[in-house]
Amino acid sequence: MHPTRIFKTPDELEHAWKLYKEDLIVQGEDWQKVQYVGKEGQRMSDDLKLPYTMEGFEVFCYNNYGCVEQYFKNQDNYYKEFIPICSHIKKEIRSNQITGGLLGVYNPSITQRLNGLVDKVEDITPQAPKKLVIKVNRRNKEDE
């Protein structure tokens, strides 16, 4: 075990992940969607749902525990027992972003780019065949 570990067990890292998700709900109160509804144009506001991000989780951990990047990189092979929880966290982030993008809660274009889901458009315009030019060396009868 690495002597400077901030999380001694995978369960401790998982607990930090759960606290991060709870913190996103609280942060959503700072990001409000304002709408004016009804005939009178009554002002209504809703808390926005913030997406899970790896960067957000790393910042949350850094501010509350310390740097966690080495757990996800398995730096110097000191973090082997954390591979399953780190993999789960990455997949949960990806799932949250993709689902949010599909539902229009998050920007679908950005969600696609973040998760490598960019559409590839192939050019299917028919191309004119290239002309094959063959040069023939013709000899004159006088050369014979």
Side-chain angles (χ1 to χ4, degrees):
M1 176 171 15
H2 195 273
T4 61
R5 277 191 182 176
I6 52 176
F7 298 112
K8 304 299 183 204
T9 67
D11 288 339
E12 290 178 13
L13 180 58
E14 184 176 21
H15 181 69
W17 171 245
K18 289 177 182 176
L19 292 177
Y20 164 69
K21 294 188 293 184
E22 291 172 8
D23 185 60
L24 286 179
I25 295 168
V26 174
Q27 286 184 48
E29 296 171 4
D30 294 335
W31 299 89
Q32 302 253 320
K33 180 178 182 178
V34 177
Q35 301 177 64
Y36 295 91
V37 296
K39 183 169 79 172
E40 303 298 321
Q42 183 178 1
R43 184 179 192 272
M44 303 288 288
S45 61
D46 294 317
D47 298 347
L48 291 176
K49 179 171 177 9
L50 301 180
Y52 302 163
T53 64
M54 193 66 218
E55 291 78 6
F57 181 55
E58 288 178 353
V59 168
F60 174 82
C61 286
Y62 187 83
N63 291 338
N64 292 285
Y65 306 101
C67 184
V68 295
E69 183 178 25
Q70 67 275 19
Y71 289 85
F72 290 87
K73 290 183 174 180
N74 190 19
Q75 188 174 331
D76 299 324
N77 213 25
Y78 286 127
Y79 304 91
K80 287 186 281 188
E81 66 272 23
F82 288 86
I83 291 173
I85 186 60
C86 289
S87 176
H88 173 76
I89 290 169
K90 287 178 187 178
K91 288 180 181 179
E92 194 170 342
I93 289 170
R94 183 175 163 90
S95 174
N96 172 269
Q97 291 176 356
I98 292 170
T99 301
L102 288 169
L103 296 175
V105 175
Y106 311 140
N107 183 306
S109 180
I110 293 172
T111 301
Q112 286 175 342
R113 283 188 221 130
L114 287 173
N115 290 286
L117 301 173
V118 180
D119 286 335
K120 292 186 179 183
V121 178
E122 291 183 32
D123 184 10
I124 57 171
T125 307
Q127 301 293 321
K130 293 183 180 180
K131 293 182 180 179
L132 180 60
V133 178
I134 300 176
K135 291 187 176 183
V136 177
N137 188 6
R138 295 187 182 179
R139 296 163 130 197
N140 290 338
K141 288 187 179 182
E142 296 171 359
D143 292 341
E144 290 178 5

